[in-house]
Amino acid sequence: KRRLRSASSCGSRAVAAMAPLREAGLLLLLLVLPPASAGLSGYFGTKSRYEEVNPHLVSDPLSLGPGAGGSLPASCTPLQLRAVLRHGTRYPTAGQVRRLGELHARLLRRPAGAAACPAAAALAAWPMWYEESLDGRLAPQGRRDMEQLARRMAARFPALFAARRRLALASSSKHRCLQSGAAFRRGLGPTLDFGGDEVEVNDSLMRFFDHCAKFVALVEENDAAMCQVNAFKEGPEMKKVLEKVADALCLPVEELNADLVQVAFLTCSYELAIKNVTSPWCSLFSEEDAKVLEYLNDLKQYWKRGYGYDINSRSSCVLFQDIFQHLDKAVEESKSSKPISSPLIVQVGHAETLQPLLALMGYFKDDEPLLANNYARQAQRKFRSGRIVPYAANLVFVLYHCDHVNASQEEYRLQLLLNEKLLAFHHSNETISTYADLKDYYKDILENCHFKEECELPKVNVTAVDEL
């Protein structure tokens, strides 16, 4: 029987649950933010601004930042760039807007004669401007994220982004990704040979998780797979935050739950990312509260998209292999002295596209899994989704051809950049690798990870957490 291995199970209660396959007052209403927002902005997880990982962009959105030059010898010429991007800053989803509306309505319903409660009064007076129709759409800031990223990428690799070079641009079918792709294209100006204005839709690569039956059934739609997340929601750290927020809003604690508190916290993050303002919702939380809520977000990412279950990352091998097939083709074309047919390949997906891919490659893996009961021990964890996949996150593979080398295998080299910073390779701890060494390191994934077989559902009834 095939098993979907997990980093840790949740205990006997979860084993039996596998059958269902589901899931003080404010001085001002809005303050314009300083570059770092009152100690909270570093803890917004996947709802983080890109500027949190690249603070130099606050003062200059086109700056390439410190150490932009890289460490390649002058005799190396870039042949191909393959970029996998997350869409830019987006509006909340319809579900998040509904929960926020529910919480806001509770504050509006406070009896007129109730005891004075400055935080509740200020939040009741806050104009609820989010509508369900926004449902995760790209915000104007998201378009700027993409246009500016394109301009920085072109400045960093001018030879590849030269006039009349062909750009292959693909996207997930989601509106925010299509719009992000179009904004990236606009940021490059009119000089590239784009071959029309359409962005190719490719969900098989950008939303591979939707096409993986095992992932959908056993993780995405299976509440038991999220047992660590649910346990943390009921744990002592979240209970403390819940009681504090209830007290600030003068509400009975039983009227709140972890999801409502989290949506209040995320509203603080949305107002910062979308409007660059400090929302009154931010006043409910201290930095310590923010760390707890970040951990809740990271737990979900870890168990649903990261190292929690093998299928999370294994389902991304279809994208990983496609990247290397195009790199292989560029190497072959170069060896035959042919022009590189695809010098620029840019694909726009989601946090859920990038996180599994980075896990497949072994990045940001902690010595012990993220669990509901090890929050304190994970204070220095590597797996922090806001540092890995903020809005506009990007993973870039750059293939080079190098002259004057000592051995033929040194002729083709590769660099990896995550969010415009060089990423060290696991096999060498260096920021440049020969292409041959890199392929050898990932040989097992390239040769033995077969999407169809990985994603096939077991032919038996799912009755135990063992299957995860």
Side-chain angles (χ1 to χ4, degrees), residues 222-261:
N222 183 4
D223 287 343
M226 293 299 103
C227 56
Q228 295 294 337
V229 179
N230 296 328
F232 188 72
K233 286 180 180 180
E234 304 295 328
E237 295 88 2
M238 274 303 299
K239 189 166 181 261
K240 190 174 168 187
V241 176
L242 213 65
E243 288 169 349
K244 183 182 161 188
V245 172
D247 188 54
L249 295 176
C250 308
L251 288 172
V253 72
E254 53 273 13
E255 280 195 28
L256 290 179
N257 58 39
D259 291 338
L260 286 174
V261 169

Side-chain angles (χ1 to χ4, degrees), residues 177-367:
C177 296
L178 289 164
Q179 284 203 329
S180 291
F184 186 93
R185 174 69 187 85
R186 273 197 309 278
L188 296 174
T191 55
L192 289 184
D193 171 18
F194 186 53
D197 291 330
E198 291 302 310
V199 179
E200 178 204 347
V201 172
N202 192 335
D203 277 345
S204 64
L205 291 183
M206 292 297 97
R207 294 183 65 83
F208 50 79
F209 41 89
D210 281 346
H211 300 262
C212 184
K214 180 184 275 186
F215 169 78
V216 171
L218 299 187
V219 181
E220 181 71 47
E221 294 181 351
N222 183 4
D223 287 343
M226 293 299 103
C227 56
Q228 295 294 337
V229 179
N230 296 328
F232 188 72
K233 286 180 180 180
E234 304 295 328
E237 295 88 2
M238 274 303 299
K239 189 166 181 261
K240 190 174 168 187
V241 176
L242 213 65
E243 288 169 349
K244 183 182 161 188
V245 172
D247 188 54
L249 295 176
C250 308
L251 288 172
V253 72
E254 53 273 13
E255 280 195 28
L256 290 179
N257 58 39
D259 291 338
L260 286 174
V261 169
Q262 191 176 37
V263 87
F265 182 62
L266 292 181
T267 303
C268 171
S269 79
Y270 282 121
E271 305 265 278
L272 170 60
I274 295 166
K275 292 182 163 185
N276 196 32
V277 297
T278 298
S279 169
W281 293 98
C282 303
S283 70
L284 297 174
F285 304 100
S286 67
E287 188 172 357
E288 191 50 52
D289 300 331
K291 290 177 182 178
V292 172
L293 288 158
E294 179 197 29
Y295 193 70
L296 176 58
N297 187 321
D298 286 350
L299 266 178
K300 183 179 176 184
Q301 290 296 315
Y302 182 89
W303 288 95
K304 209 165 199 172
R305 308 294 178 181
Y307 291 104
Y309 303 112
D310 279 359
I311 192 59
N312 299 348
S313 59
R314 297 291 286 184
S315 61
S316 75
C317 67
V318 63
L319 174 58
F320 188 73
Q321 290 164 349
D322 186 80
I323 289 167
F324 277 82
Q325 283 161 14
H326 280 92
L327 292 167
D328 282 348
K329 187 178 179 187
V331 167
E332 290 310 310
E333 288 170 339
S334 169
K335 284 180 176 175
S336 308
S337 302
K338 293 177 182 172
I340 307 303
S341 52
S342 299
L344 290 171
I345 304 170
V346 176
Q347 298 167 309
V348 189
H350 307 262
E352 297 89 342
T353 312
L354 275 167
Q355 192 79 74
L357 182 62
L358 285 160
L360 186 73
M361 296 174 71
Y363 285 102
F364 309 106
K365 187 172 187 178
D366 293 286
D367 291 336

Side-chain angles (χ1 to χ4, degrees), residues 44-48 86 297-298 301 351 355 385-386 389-391:
F44 289 144
T46 52
K47 309 299 183 288
S48 296
R86 183 191 180 193
N297 187 321
D298 286 350
Q301 290 296 315
Q355 192 79 74
S385 57
V389 285
Y391 294 124

Side-chain angles (χ1 to χ4, degrees), residues 76 400-413 433-436:
C76 294
Y400 294 88
H401 176 262
C402 301
D403 295 323
H404 316 304
V405 293
N406 297 323
S408 61
Q409 64 263 34
E410 294 177 11
E411 198 176 340
Y412 294 95
R413 303 187 195 181
S433 170
T434 68
Y435 186 52

Side-chain angles (χ1 to χ4, degrees), residues 87-91 134-146 175-181 183 186:
H87 57 76
T89 302
R90 65 163 173 83
Y91 291 111
L134 290 170
D135 194 22
R137 287 181 169 258
L138 196 68
Q141 178 58 46
R143 287 192 278 278
R144 288 191 288 275
D145 292 339
M146 288 291 125
H175 196 268
R176 57 185 169 273
C177 296
L178 289 164
Q179 284 203 329
S180 291
R186 273 197 309 278

